[in-house]
Amino acid sequence: MSDPSAATAAPERTSLLSALMPDRVTRYTRVLAWLLLISNIVIVGTGGLVRLTGSGMGCETWPYCTSQSLVPTPELGVHGLIEFGNRTLTGVLVVVALLAFLSVVRLWTTRPELPRLTLAVGIGIIVQAVVGGVTVWLHLHPAIVGLHFVISAALVAIATAYVVRVYAEPGPRRLAVPRRYAMLVHVTSVVVLITVVVGILLTGSGPHAGDDAAARNGLDPIFWQHVHSWPAYLLFALTIVVFAVSFRMPQTLRLPLWTGLLLAVEVVQIIVGLWQARTGLPIVLVNIHMVLAVTLVSAMTAVLMHLKAPRAVLTFADGSTAGS
């Protein structure tokens, strides 16, 4: 005789697999996309907390916390807990990235960009974990710490691109704005990169090394505060232009929304940057500044992603066509 319970279990397993691996973009897919982006931003905040509280060597080795214990021992105190907590969050990121990949893996033939983006994030998280280990082994060398942040920013950018594409209509995409405007946006994105890199160099010269014994890069922090401000203010000026001209772009792209978001992040970032510089770099403001830096990267990525659309030809009010 056949087992009725086995017959019932089979559809349940099929239903679970269908939920985890849908054959189309669903609400579940989009929720995971947002979780992927948010978690990659949040870990920058927890990583900043590790550094700003001097907990960078809270766990003295990697992947173990001590030479004989995977988890922090009481002797390591709160610094061990903070460092280990940040490491644990990496495991959460891996799970979220895996679920996001599974949610679009069946779309490889129809929407290949979606599984590829999630796969890129997953691989990046693993690389980031290894770089984190090297950072500990080299006792928080500022160059490796800076690379650690660059990878985080890159992961946020990829996760942002994934969120945008999850909501986008499928199909071939082409430039949907005049080339001059696209060039202006790309130049702005380069200035974002320069601003972030100079900010990393500035951080490597400052007091928040993650540990009292950690090396600094030897740059003059006062001078580099001014150097950091130069591309930041240029970025602000370029973004104002990008935002103003965005109202002349096709409405379907919603560029005023995305460029306005970019401008808003920059305004807050400038305020926090000036505030922290004038108040002796309190750790709360520095941590907010770090999170805003990757949020800036995310907003810039969103603007770049909305320069194209799955339209054969878009006609503007002046009669020109997309890409002219």
Side-chain angles (χ1 to χ4, degrees):
M1 294 178 62
S2 61
D3 186 357
S5 62
T8 304
E12 289 179 352
R13 286 195 296 268
T14 302
S15 178
L16 177 60
L17 285 175
S18 298
L20 292 174
M21 303 168 61
D23 58 0
R24 65 188 187 282
V25 173
T26 65
R27 182 179 181 183
Y28 171 71
T29 311
R30 295 189 173 110
V31 168
L32 281 174
W34 280 106
L35 286 176
L36 190 65
L37 173 59
I38 293 170
S39 59
N40 274 283
I41 293 176
V42 168
I43 201 170
V44 172
T46 61
L49 185 64
V50 169
R51 183 171 187 172
L52 296 168
T53 58
S55 304
M57 295 302 295
C59 288
E60 59 194 28
T61 185
W62 184 90
Y64 281 75
C65 199
T66 70
S67 58
Q68 298 180 344
S69 176
L70 177 64
V71 299
T73 60
E75 292 77 16
L76 296 176
V78 66
H79 293 309
L81 291 174
I82 292 174
E83 165 64 10
F84 186 75
N86 186 59
R87 294 185 183 187
T88 303
L89 186 55
T90 300
V92 175
L93 285 179
V94 170
V95 172
V96 173
L98 177 59
L99 291 175
F101 174 73
L102 291 176
S103 73
V104 292
V105 69
R106 294 176 65 186
L107 305 179
W108 204 291
T109 55
T110 57
R111 301 288 302 275
E113 76 279 6
L114 299 182
R116 287 172 182 170
L117 286 169
T118 56
L119 186 61
V121 173
I123 294 172
I125 292 169
I126 296 172
V127 171
Q128 182 74 308
V130 174
V131 172
V134 174
T135 303
V136 173
W137 293 337
L138 296 181
H139 297 281
L140 311 182
H141 190 284
I144 304 300
V145 174
L147 175 62
H148 204 40
F149 189 88
V150 169
I151 296 174
S152 290
L155 288 173
V156 168
I158 297 171
T160 301
Y162 177 62
V163 170
V164 173
R165 293 309 299 268
V166 159
Y167 283 91
E169 295 181 19
R173 301 169 66 82
R174 62 170 294 161
L175 189 64
V177 299
R179 293 193 182 277
R180 287 173 294 180
Y181 184 75
M183 290 178 61
L184 176 63
V185 173
H186 283 288
V187 168
T188 304
S189 70
V190 172
V191 179
V192 168
L193 176 61
I194 294 172
T195 305
V196 171
V197 171
V198 175
I200 291 171
L201 293 174
L202 172 60
T203 303
S205 69
H208 300 299
D211 185 79
D212 292 339
R216 302 282 72 203
N217 59 24
L219 300 175
D220 182 354
I222 302 300
F223 173 73
W224 278 85
Q225 281 186 13
H226 296 290
V227 174
H228 183 43
S229 69
W230 301 337
Y233 288 130
L234 175 60
L235 171 61
F236 185 56
L238 286 171
T239 304
I240 290 175
V241 177
V242 168
F243 174 66
V245 181
S246 69
F247 289 91
R248 299 179 59 187
M249 299 301 111
Q251 294 183 359
T252 54
L253 300 177
R254 303 176 69 192
L255 278 169
L257 169 64
W258 302 113
T259 58
L261 176 63
L262 175 64
L263 185 62
V265 172
E266 290 175 16
V267 169
V268 177
Q269 181 74 310
I270 290 172
I271 292 172
V272 172
L274 293 173
W275 188 5
Q276 70 173 11
R278 284 160 174 72
T279 54
L281 302 178
I283 63 174
V284 173
L285 292 180
V286 175
N287 206 18
I288 293 173
H289 200 61
M290 291 176 63
V291 174
L292 283 172
V294 293
T295 305
L296 174 66
V297 170
S298 178
M300 187 72 250
T301 303
V303 174
L304 288 168
M305 293 295 294
H306 285 86
L307 296 180
K308 292 183 177 182
R311 302 285 195 271
V313 175
L314 289 173
T315 303
F316 303 104
D318 61 0
S320 60
T321 57
S324 62

